[in-house]
Amino acid sequence: EGMCQVTVIAPGATESDALTKAAFILPRDSVLNLFRRREGVHAQRVEGPCGKERSVWITPWSSSVFVQNRDAS
């Protein structure tokens, strides 16, 4: 309800799939605690309803992995 989309990059497909589900339902602090212990794991969450009123959040160490297109509307 409060999450539009989650993308997780991980070393393996099974790990990525499982962590995507976790990142979709857990609060930010829990995602950070879970993901910071795993090497090569990055997350991006589009929080809020899908549409214009949304917030994009990424794990703090992932700014070089996820690049936001500022020109997109």
Side-chain angles (χ1 to χ4, degrees), residues 11-67:
T14 302
E15 182 179 20
S16 178
D17 186 53
L19 292 173
T20 296
K21 289 173 178 57
F24 199 85
I25 61 172
L26 293 173
R28 285 183 185 183
D29 289 344
S30 297
V31 171
L32 287 173
N33 289 333
L34 177 64
F35 284 26
R36 85 168 32 106
R37 298 183 307 228
R38 300 176 181 281
E39 192 169 328
V41 173
H42 306 274
Q44 173 180 274
R45 297 177 8 154
V46 179
E47 300 172 337
C50 296
K52 293 202 181 266
E53 297 299 319
R54 63 180 190 251
S55 172
V56 177
W57 176 84
I58 63 170
T59 43
W61 55 88
S62 303
S63 61
S64 65
V65 175
F66 297 106
V67 179

